[in-house]
Amino acid sequence: MMGVSSAIVFANMGAAYGTAKSGVGIGSMGVMRPDMVMRSIIPVVMAGVLGIYGLITAVIINGKIHAPTYSAYAGYAHLAAGLTVGLSSLAAGMAIGVVGDAGVRANAQQPKLFVGMILILIFAEALGLYGLIVGLVVASTADSRGKDLCAPWDQ
Protein backbone atom coordinates (compact mmCIF):
# COMPACT_ATOMS: atom_id res chain seq x y z
CA MET A 1 0.00 0.00 0.00
CA MET A 2 2.96 2.34 0.47
CA GLY A 3 3.74 1.99 -3.23
CA VAL A 4 0.15 2.84 -4.10
CA SER A 5 0.09 5.90 -1.88
CA SER A 6 3.56 7.15 -2.84
CA ALA A 7 2.75 6.88 -6.56
CA ILE A 8 -0.43 8.92 -6.30
CA VAL A 9 0.73 11.41 -3.65
CA PHE A 10 4.07 12.37 -5.20
CA ALA A 11 2.68 12.43 -8.74
CA ASN A 12 -0.16 14.70 -7.64
CA MET A 13 2.29 16.94 -5.79
CA GLY A 14 4.22 17.35 -9.03
CA ALA A 15 1.04 17.96 -10.98
CA ALA A 16 -0.18 20.51 -8.44
CA TYR A 17 3.13 22.37 -8.37
CA GLY A 18 3.37 22.44 -12.15
CA THR A 19 -0.21 23.65 -12.46
CA ALA A 20 0.15 26.32 -9.78
CA LYS A 21 3.47 27.69 -10.97
CA SER A 22 2.40 27.74 -14.62
CA GLY A 23 -0.97 29.20 -13.65
CA VAL A 24 0.72 32.12 -11.94
CA GLY A 25 2.68 32.83 -15.11
CA ILE A 26 -0.46 32.57 -17.23
CA GLY A 27 -2.32 34.93 -14.94
CA SER A 28 0.50 37.44 -14.99
CA MET A 29 0.90 37.19 -18.75
CA GLY A 30 -2.87 37.37 -19.33
CA VAL A 31 -3.03 40.90 -17.95
CA MET A 32 -0.89 42.20 -20.79
CA ARG A 33 -1.82 39.72 -23.55
CA PRO A 34 -5.28 38.20 -22.93
CA ASP A 35 -5.33 36.92 -26.52
CA MET A 36 -2.54 34.45 -25.69
CA VAL A 37 -4.06 32.84 -22.59
CA MET A 38 -5.51 29.79 -24.32
CA ARG A 39 -2.28 29.19 -26.20
CA SER A 40 -0.37 29.32 -22.92
CA ILE A 41 -2.48 26.67 -21.19
CA ILE A 42 -0.23 23.84 -22.50
CA PRO A 43 2.02 23.65 -19.38
CA VAL A 44 -1.06 23.22 -17.18
CA VAL A 45 -2.29 20.32 -19.31
CA MET A 46 1.14 18.70 -19.30
CA ALA A 47 1.36 19.00 -15.52
CA GLY A 48 -2.08 17.41 -15.16
CA VAL A 49 -0.93 14.37 -17.12
CA LEU A 50 1.60 13.65 -14.37
CA GLY A 51 -1.22 13.01 -11.90
CA ILE A 52 -2.66 10.49 -14.34
CA TYR A 53 0.69 8.66 -14.35
CA GLY A 54 0.43 8.24 -10.59
CA LEU A 55 -3.19 7.13 -10.82
CA ILE A 56 -2.41 4.48 -13.43
CA THR A 57 0.44 3.09 -11.35
CA ALA A 58 -1.56 3.10 -8.13
CA VAL A 59 -4.41 1.17 -9.76
CA ILE A 60 -2.05 -1.39 -11.29
CA ILE A 61 -0.16 -1.95 -8.04
CA ASN A 62 -3.39 -2.18 -6.06
CA GLY A 63 -4.71 -4.82 -8.46
CA LYS A 64 -1.65 -6.99 -7.87
CA ILE A 65 -1.97 -7.11 -4.08
CA HIS A 66 -3.36 -10.47 -2.95
CA ALA A 67 -2.98 -10.83 0.82
CA PRO A 68 -2.54 -14.60 1.27
CA THR A 69 0.16 -14.99 -1.38
CA TYR A 70 1.79 -11.55 -1.22
CA SER A 71 5.55 -11.90 -0.72
CA ALA A 72 7.99 -9.43 0.80
CA TYR A 73 9.75 -9.28 -2.56
CA ALA A 74 6.55 -8.18 -4.30
CA GLY A 75 5.90 -5.65 -1.55
CA TYR A 76 9.31 -4.03 -1.93
CA ALA A 77 9.04 -4.14 -5.71
CA HIS A 78 5.66 -2.40 -5.58
CA LEU A 79 7.05 0.19 -3.17
CA ALA A 80 9.94 0.82 -5.55
CA ALA A 81 7.55 1.09 -8.50
CA GLY A 82 5.37 3.59 -6.65
CA LEU A 83 8.33 5.68 -5.56
CA THR A 84 9.81 5.60 -9.06
CA VAL A 85 6.66 6.91 -10.69
CA GLY A 86 5.80 9.33 -7.91
CA LEU A 87 9.19 10.96 -7.53
CA SER A 88 9.79 11.09 -11.29
CA SER A 89 6.46 12.84 -11.70
CA LEU A 90 7.29 15.21 -8.85
CA ALA A 91 10.56 16.19 -10.53
CA ALA A 92 8.85 16.55 -13.90
CA GLY A 93 6.12 18.69 -12.34
CA MET A 94 8.68 21.00 -10.80
CA ALA A 95 10.45 21.34 -14.14
CA ILE A 96 7.18 21.96 -15.99
CA GLY A 97 6.17 24.57 -13.42
CA VAL A 98 9.39 26.55 -13.68
CA VAL A 99 9.58 26.32 -17.48
CA GLY A 100 5.86 26.98 -17.85
CA ASP A 101 5.97 30.08 -15.67
CA ALA A 102 8.98 31.62 -17.35
CA GLY A 103 8.01 30.34 -20.80
CA VAL A 104 4.53 31.84 -20.98
CA ARG A 105 5.79 35.19 -19.71
CA ALA A 106 8.60 35.20 -22.27
CA ASN A 107 6.22 34.02 -24.99
CA ALA A 108 3.99 37.02 -24.31
CA GLN A 109 6.91 39.34 -25.01
CA GLN A 110 8.39 37.36 -27.92
CA PRO A 111 6.03 34.91 -29.68
CA LYS A 112 8.94 33.27 -31.52
CA LEU A 113 9.86 31.54 -28.25
CA PHE A 114 6.74 29.34 -28.34
CA VAL A 115 8.32 26.36 -30.12
CA GLY A 116 11.35 26.42 -27.83
CA MET A 117 9.11 26.51 -24.77
CA ILE A 118 7.09 23.53 -26.05
CA LEU A 119 10.26 21.52 -26.71
CA ILE A 120 11.56 22.15 -23.20
CA LEU A 121 8.18 21.19 -21.76
CA ILE A 122 8.18 17.96 -23.77
CA PHE A 123 11.58 17.00 -22.39
CA ALA A 124 10.42 17.82 -18.86
CA GLU A 125 7.31 15.66 -19.35
CA ALA A 126 9.51 12.85 -20.66
CA LEU A 127 11.11 12.58 -17.20
CA GLY A 128 7.76 11.59 -15.76
CA LEU A 129 7.12 9.22 -18.66
CA TYR A 130 10.46 7.48 -18.06
CA GLY A 131 9.48 6.95 -14.43
CA LEU A 132 6.10 5.58 -15.49
CA ILE A 133 7.69 3.06 -17.86
CA VAL A 134 10.21 1.83 -15.30
CA GLY A 135 7.59 1.72 -12.57
CA LEU A 136 5.20 -0.33 -14.68
CA VAL A 137 7.96 -2.77 -15.65
CA VAL A 138 8.98 -3.22 -12.01
CA ALA A 139 5.39 -3.62 -10.84
CA SER A 140 4.43 -6.07 -13.58
CA THR A 141 7.44 -8.35 -13.14
CA ALA A 142 7.37 -8.44 -9.33
CA ASP A 143 5.13 -11.50 -9.12
CA SER A 144 7.11 -13.71 -11.50
CA ARG A 145 10.54 -12.80 -10.13
CA GLY A 146 9.61 -13.16 -6.49
CA LYS A 147 8.12 -16.67 -6.69
CA ASP A 148 9.51 -19.02 -4.05
CA LEU A 149 12.33 -16.61 -3.28
CA CYS A 150 11.62 -16.66 0.44
CA ALA A 151 10.22 -20.16 0.91
CA PRO A 152 9.67 -21.36 4.49
CA TRP A 153 12.55 -23.33 6.04
CA ASP A 154 10.49 -26.42 6.87
CA GLN A 155 9.91 -27.45 3.26
Side-chain angles (χ1 to χ4, degrees), residues 44-63:
V44 173
V45 173
M46 293 180 84
V49 170
L50 298 173
I52 296 170
Y53 292 168
L55 177 65
I56 290 168
T57 306
V59 168
I60 288 173
I61 293 172
N62 192 42

Side-chain angles (χ1 to χ4, degrees), residues 127-143:
L127 299 175
L129 185 60
Y130 299 153
L132 175 68
I133 292 168
V134 171
L136 291 179
V137 168
V138 169
S140 65
T141 61
D143 295 335

Side-chain angles (χ1 to χ4, degrees), residues 3-19 46-58 81-94 96 125 128-129 131-132:
V4 171
S5 61
S6 61
I8 195 75
V9 167
F10 289 130
N12 282 339
M13 286 173 60
Y17 182 83
T19 300
M46 293 180 84
V49 170
L50 298 173
I52 296 170
Y53 292 168
L55 177 65
I56 290 168
T57 306
L83 285 172
T84 300
V85 174
L87 293 176
S88 294
S89 295
L90 176 61
M94 294 177 76
I96 288 171
E125 180 81 26
L129 185 60
L132 175 68

Side-chain angles (χ1 to χ4, degrees), residues 58-137:
V59 168
I60 288 173
I61 293 172
N62 192 42
K64 293 187 174 291
I65 297 174
H66 303 290
T69 60
Y70 197 63
S71 68
Y73 182 90
Y76 284 119
H78 290 154
L79 174 61
L83 285 172
T84 300
V85 174
L87 293 176
S88 294
S89 295
L90 176 61
M94 294 177 76
I96 288 171
V98 171
V99 171
D101 182 24
V104 297
R105 291 174 196 241
N107 188 38
Q109 294 178 355
Q110 178 56 263
K112 292 180 182 178
L113 295 173
F114 183 74
V115 174
M117 178 188 75
I118 296 301
L119 286 174
I120 296 169
L121 286 169
I122 288 170
F123 286 117
E125 180 81 26
L127 299 175
L129 185 60
Y130 299 153
L132 175 68
I133 292 168
V134 171
L136 291 179
V137 168

